[in-house]
Amino acid sequence: EVQLVESGGGLVQPGRSLKLSCAASGFTFSNYGMAWVRQTPTKGLEWVASISTGGGNTYYRDSVKGRFTISRDNAKNTQYLQMDSLRSEDTATYYCARLYDGTYYRNWFAYWGQGTLVTVSS
Amino acid sequence: DIVLTQSPALAVSLGQRATISCKTNQNVDYYGNSYMHWYQQKPGQQPKLLIYLASNLASGIPARFSGRGSGTDFTLTIDPVEADDTATYYCQQSRNLPPWTFGGGTKLELK
């Protein structure tokens, strides 16, 4: 059974940093692209970032480019999202998602974690 | 970015057919595939993949769910609707490299 478990969310002040983790199990982690998707009541679902199987290809939505970094450790079956210079508009539930296969383009979100809430507020 | 438009809500009776639409402002077809996907999200839960590539049923999803469409117009059909189907349904496109985008969601309610 595919399982994705996020951790690391919480309350953080604007301008500070937070690192999310996603522990994966139930599949061969290194064979699949991974992603982060966030959700707010006002903006709905937003793709945030994606990473290829080996980590060599990464993509970010424009609003987080230069502030967020997606990475993965295939030996630990874990992906990460380093979030720096956080803003109030980054407040959301962040979901870890496994892509359908190993391609990092023209893909979709086959499995989702339960989400972790990030609140950016002073 | 490709914009996906869904109606905010739909109310249907138990046992009837529900048809949820998703329209895009750009063609999401590429070499014979339509890169349109559908998710179900119940309150307090994460989204779940229902349909991929416009018409392919994801693993474990009942055959009451079906998808069709191409180009810029897509539909998700639930027939017959069961009480457990009350949820918000989202479409998502992945025609190109990211950014991949979602529709605003359609909340399915029972009459």
Side-chain angles (χ1 to χ4, degrees), chain A residues 31-33 53 98-108:
Chain A
N31 286 352
Y32 292 88
T53 53
R98 197 204 84 178
L99 301 185
Y100 182 75
D101 57 23
T103 59
Y104 54 86
Y105 50 89
R106 298 192 195 95
N107 218 314
W108 53 96

Side-chain angles (χ1 to χ4, degrees), chain B residues 2-77:
Chain B
I2 298 177
V3 177
L4 284 62
T5 301
Q6 298 181 245
S7 297
L10 177 67
V12 299
S13 301
L14 274 175
Q16 298 303 301
R17 174 185 301 170
T19 302
I20 298 169
S21 70
C22 177
K23 297 183 186 297
T24 65
N25 67 344
Q26 298 179 40
N27 191 319
V28 298
D29 293 350
Y30 185 82
Y31 280 96
N33 285 318
S34 295
Y35 286 86
M36 177 60 69
H37 325 291
W38 291 92
Y39 304 86
Q40 176 194 64
Q41 186 177 33
K42 296 179 180 179
Q45 296 185 16
Q46 68 270 48
K48 178 170 70 173
L49 177 67
L50 295 177
I51 300 284
Y52 62 94
L53 295 176
S55 62
N56 294 276
L57 207 60
S59 175
I61 303 302
R64 302 184 292 104
F65 293 87
S66 63
R68 63 180 299 169
S70 64
T72 61
D73 287 276
F74 298 87
T75 57
L76 170 71
T77 299

Side-chain angles (χ1 to χ4, degrees), chain A residues 60-72:
Chain A
Y60 302 91
R61 67 180 302 105
D62 285 348
S63 61
V64 308
K65 277 181 189 173
R67 300 188 299 121
F68 289 14
T69 303
I70 188 172
S71 62
R72 63 190 296 162

